[in-house]
């Protein structure tokens, strides 16, 4: 299980914060009242940043596509089907073993019976010197007591159980990968929209600085600084666009589908219903036994224990029932025969050079090693749960703080715009307030994405990740998407 995930939007958020703080440094030295055209352009920014958005791609449907498309998951399914054949193979060792054999023989033999004259005897040959012969044999063996083969059934069942868990782990990992790529694509698309709106805001700042310079109340340094900030905003938008392309490419690789996240913008961030009760870790720790990695380690221990029992069977005897029928047709009448045979055989191993003792010891050591692996998996799962709970608590507090900051920034923006209309503030103050609001909204979306991924990882750590959780992720993202 992954204990940490890279967040590709973190750099975009940092650049957005730096761009917001840099706006204050680019203010003209004099107060330049905005004209009607500038105010109309500012008002148009809201219209640019609030287009109608299409509905979000369905995350559960994308996961269903991934279940059909992902090559690694298909490989794991075939591995499971192959491992399932261990059961009939082990069972076959307890069932009757029927075999048939046959052959043809031509022989030219010279001896006292086939050529008595050659040995100085005056008597007819008793057997032909040259003859053809056909023979075939049918043999049936039924194990009556074979502890090694009987215990092999248990080992096969344990191997199938482990293979089933391998498939479940592959499906869990695929769900996390698809969800993370989906969240990244959503956040990158919304971040790109905010950065493009911020870019337009900075473009207006460049125009205002150019107007102030043309009027002689500004200087060229302010104009160049404003242009520099505008160029940086373009670079930030390009980076966000690249991050969106990377996330979409990952989704296409996993699902075989290229979803469309374009056309959507952020709505009311206060509509996000984030559960803040992540303080009590006790119920989560108690559920670690359902963690798939812990269950897989337990399955590996069961395989080791079953294998050790099979090895100990080498101390016990084997008893087999043998039934056979043979028919031999030959030109030599003395070789012609038809036989029916029934026998019970007992095979008791007495000494194999110490092989059985070493084999059993090896199995016991591997069982101990597998138990340590179970303890390690349990400890890792507990650590994962605690880390995710701490991250969720931190995310919730950060979201609450950002929500208050956004609310304050909205009020400050209204005041700046009102001051602009009254001539108490200049256009740059309005643009600074607007850029700060953009950056805080980007930070809020980033924190919300971290919250969603940490929540999915926590549910995975306790073995409680299901398709409903993917629907909940989409529902939360839809709640902050403008209709």
């Amino acid at each position: 299980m992954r204990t940490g995930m890279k967040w590709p939007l973190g750099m975009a958020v940092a650049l957005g914060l730096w761009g917001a703080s840099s706006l204050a440094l680019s203010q003209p030295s004099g107060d330049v009242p905005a004209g009607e055209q500038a105010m109309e352009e500012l008002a148009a920014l809201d219209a640019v940043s609030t287009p109608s958005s299409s509905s979000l791609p369905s995350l559960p449907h994308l996961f269903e596509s991934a279940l059909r498309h992902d090559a690694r998951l298909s490989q794991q399914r075939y591995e499971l089907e192959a491992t399932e054949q261990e059961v009939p193979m082990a069972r076959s060792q307890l069932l009757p073993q029927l075999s048939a054999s046959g052959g043809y023989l031509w022989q030219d033999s010279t001896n006292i019976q086939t050529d008595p004259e050659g040995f100085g005897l005056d008597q007819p040959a008793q057997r032909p010197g040259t003859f053809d012969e056909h023979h075939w044999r049918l043999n049936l063996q039924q194990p009556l007591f074979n502890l090694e083969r009987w215990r092999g059934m248990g080992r096969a069942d344990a191997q199938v159980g482990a293979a089933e868990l391998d498939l479940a782990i592959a499906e869990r990992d695929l769900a996390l990968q698809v969800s993370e790529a989906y969240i990244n694509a959503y956040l990158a698309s919304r971040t790109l929209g905010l950065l493009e709106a911020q870019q337009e805001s900075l473009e207006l700042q460049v125009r205002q600085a150019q107007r102030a310079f043309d009027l002689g109340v500004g200087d060229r340094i302010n104009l160049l600084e404003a242009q520099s900030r505008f160029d940086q905003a373009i670079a930030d938008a390009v980076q966000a666009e690249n991050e969106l392309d990377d996330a979409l490419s990952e989704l296409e690789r996993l699902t075989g589908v290229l979803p469309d996240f374009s056309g959507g913008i952020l709505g009311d961030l206060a509509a996000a219903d984030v559960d803040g009760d992540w303080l009590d870790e006790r119920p989560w720790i108690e559920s670690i036994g359902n963690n798939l990695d812990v269950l897989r380690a337990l399955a590996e221990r069961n395989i080791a224990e079953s294998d050790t029992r099979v090895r100990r069977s080498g101390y016990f005897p084997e008893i087999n029932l043998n039934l056979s029928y043979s028919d031999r047709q030959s030109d030599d009448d003395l070789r012609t025969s038809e036989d029916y045979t029934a026998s019970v055989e007992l095979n008791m191993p007495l000494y194999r050079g110490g092989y059985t003792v070493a084999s059993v010891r090896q199995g016991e050591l591997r069982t101990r090693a597998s138990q340590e692996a179970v303890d390690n998996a349990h400890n890792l799962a507990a650590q994962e749960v605690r880390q995710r709970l701490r991250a969720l608590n931190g995310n919730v507090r950060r979201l609450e703080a950002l929500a208050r900051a956004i609310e304050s920034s909205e009020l400050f923006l209204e005041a700046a715009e009102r001051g602009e209309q009254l001539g108490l503030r200049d256009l740059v103050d309005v643009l600074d307030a607007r850029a700060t609001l953009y950056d805080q909204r980007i930070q809020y979306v980033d924190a919300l994405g971290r919250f969603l991924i940490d929540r999915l990882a926590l549910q995975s750590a306790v073995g409680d990740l299901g398709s409903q959780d993917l629907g909940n992720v989409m529902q939360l993202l839809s709640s902050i998407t403008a209709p």
Side-chain angles (χ1 to χ4, degrees):
M1 178 175 294
R2 296 168 294 177
T3 58
M5 300 179 182
K6 292 183 63 178
W7 195 251
L9 296 181
M11 185 59 70
V13 174
L15 292 174
L17 287 172
W18 178 82
S21 62
S22 64
L23 289 176
L25 300 177
S26 62
Q27 295 182 5
S29 58
D31 292 336
V32 182
E36 293 182 359
Q37 179 183 0
M39 293 307 299
E40 289 175 358
E41 290 174 335
L42 279 173
L45 282 177
D46 289 335
V48 171
S49 60
T50 56
S52 61
S53 65
S54 58
S55 60
L56 292 177
S58 173
L59 177 56
H61 289 169
L62 286 174
F63 178 58
E64 291 178 5
S65 299
L67 290 176
R68 297 188 297 268
H69 175 77
D70 187 66
R72 179 176 177 272
L73 190 60
S74 297
Q75 174 190 356
Q76 204 61 56
R77 291 194 186 102
Y78 286 121
E79 290 289 346
L80 172 58
E81 293 180 7
T83 305
E84 287 175 342
Q85 301 308 309
E86 293 288 341
V87 174
M89 289 169 59
R91 185 187 302 113
S92 68
Q93 300 302 307
L94 298 174
L95 299 178
Q97 308 293 312
L98 182 63
S99 62
S101 61
Y104 166 78
L105 173 66
W106 176 86
Q107 181 174 320
D108 186 356
S109 178
T110 301
N111 53 50
I112 194 172
Q113 292 181 325
T114 61
D115 186 17
E117 294 181 359
F119 291 88
L121 298 178
D122 184 15
Q123 63 182 38
Q126 303 295 319
R127 302 177 62 184
T130 302
F131 63 88
D132 293 333
E133 179 178 293
H134 300 81
H135 65 274
W136 64 277
R137 179 183 178 89
L138 190 65
N139 187 73
L140 175 67
Q141 184 182 69
Q142 171 61 58
L144 299 180
F145 179 80
N146 191 312
L147 192 57
E148 180 178 359
R149 296 183 181 182
W150 180 262
R151 289 178 174 175
M153 285 286 296
R155 180 174 57 186
D157 291 334
Q159 290 172 337
V160 172
E164 291 173 346
L165 285 170
D166 286 336
L167 178 60
I169 290 173
E171 291 178 349
R172 178 205 63 187
D173 292 344
L174 181 61
L176 290 175
Q177 291 172 5
V178 172
S179 299
E180 184 177 359
Y182 181 93
I183 294 172
N184 287 344
Y186 175 87
L187 300 183
S189 64
R190 272 50 186 177
T191 300
L192 178 61
L194 291 174
L195 290 174
E196 288 176 345
Q198 187 180 37
Q199 176 184 334
E200 296 193 17
S201 176
L202 291 172
E203 184 179 10
L204 287 181
Q205 183 177 0
V206 172
R207 295 178 185 176
Q208 184 67 16
Q210 181 68 55
R211 186 178 297 112
F213 179 74
D214 294 340
L215 293 175
V217 295
D219 54 40
R220 184 170 179 77
I221 294 178
N222 289 335
L223 176 59
L224 293 176
E225 186 174 4
Q227 183 65 48
S228 174
R229 298 296 183 262
F230 173 69
D231 294 337
Q232 182 63 52
I234 295 177
D236 293 343
V238 170
Q239 180 179 350
E241 185 176 357
N242 290 337
E243 291 170 352
L244 175 59
D245 292 339
D246 290 342
L248 292 177
S249 176
E250 179 70 3
L251 277 175
E252 185 177 20
R253 180 186 70 84
L254 294 171
T255 66
V257 177
L258 184 61
D260 183 13
F261 285 87
S262 63
I265 52 93
L266 289 176
D268 183 10
L269 297 181
D273 184 14
V274 177
D275 185 6
D277 185 16
W278 304 103
L279 297 177
D280 187 8
E281 69 177 32
R282 181 179 51 82
W284 298 97
I285 296 296
E286 292 176 351
S287 301
I288 287 178
N290 296 324
N291 180 281
L292 290 179
D293 294 301
V294 174
L295 294 177
R296 180 62 178 82
L298 286 171
E300 197 65 35
R301 187 190 66 182
N302 291 337
I303 293 177
E305 291 175 345
S306 299
D307 184 68
T308 301
R309 288 193 292 269
V310 171
R311 294 167 184 259
R312 289 196 181 103
S313 302
Y315 291 119
F316 293 84
E318 299 178 8
I319 303 177
N320 297 311
L321 170 64
N322 295 312
L323 301 176
S324 66
Y325 169 77
S326 63
D327 183 24
R328 184 185 300 271
Q329 300 294 328
S330 176
D331 293 340
D332 185 352
D333 292 339
L334 295 178
R335 294 177 58 87
T336 299
S337 65
E338 184 178 15
D339 301 314
Y340 297 88
T341 305
S343 64
V344 175
E345 295 181 352
L346 171 66
N347 182 19
M348 181 63 190
L350 299 178
Y351 180 69
R352 301 178 62 187
Y355 175 85
T356 303
V357 174
S359 177
V360 171
R361 179 60 177 166
Q362 184 184 63
E364 292 173 345
L365 292 173
R366 286 179 175 172
T367 301
R368 293 182 183 178
S370 63
Q371 178 57 53
E372 295 299 323
V374 171
D375 296 339
N376 182 60
H378 190 277
N379 293 336
L380 289 176
Q383 181 185 24
E384 176 82 1
V385 167
R386 294 188 177 97
Q387 287 179 343
R388 296 299 177 178
L389 286 174
R390 287 194 298 268
L392 286 169
N393 285 320
N395 290 332
V396 170
R397 292 195 302 269
R398 179 172 171 80
L399 288 171
E400 292 174 349
L402 286 171
R404 292 192 297 269
I406 289 173
E407 184 179 356
S408 299
S409 295
E410 290 173 345
L411 295 175
F412 178 70
L413 177 58
E414 293 177 3
E417 290 175 341
R418 182 62 177 169
E420 173 66 25
Q421 296 173 358
L422 297 177
L424 301 177
R425 289 183 178 274
D426 60 19
L427 180 60
V428 175
D429 293 331
V430 178
L431 293 176
D432 275 345
R434 189 181 298 276
T436 299
L437 180 59
Y438 286 151
D439 291 333
Q440 289 171 345
R441 288 168 68 86
I442 290 175
Q443 293 179 65
Y444 188 95
V445 172
D446 180 74
L448 183 61
R450 292 177 183 272
F451 171 84
L452 290 174
I453 290 183
D454 286 330
R455 189 174 70 178
L456 290 174
L458 175 62
Q459 292 165 329
S460 171
V462 297
D464 192 31
L465 181 63
S467 58
Q468 180 60 38
D469 299 314
L470 305 186
N472 293 339
V473 168
M474 181 181 172
Q475 181 180 1
L476 182 56
L477 294 179
S478 297
S479 68
I480 62 172
T481 302

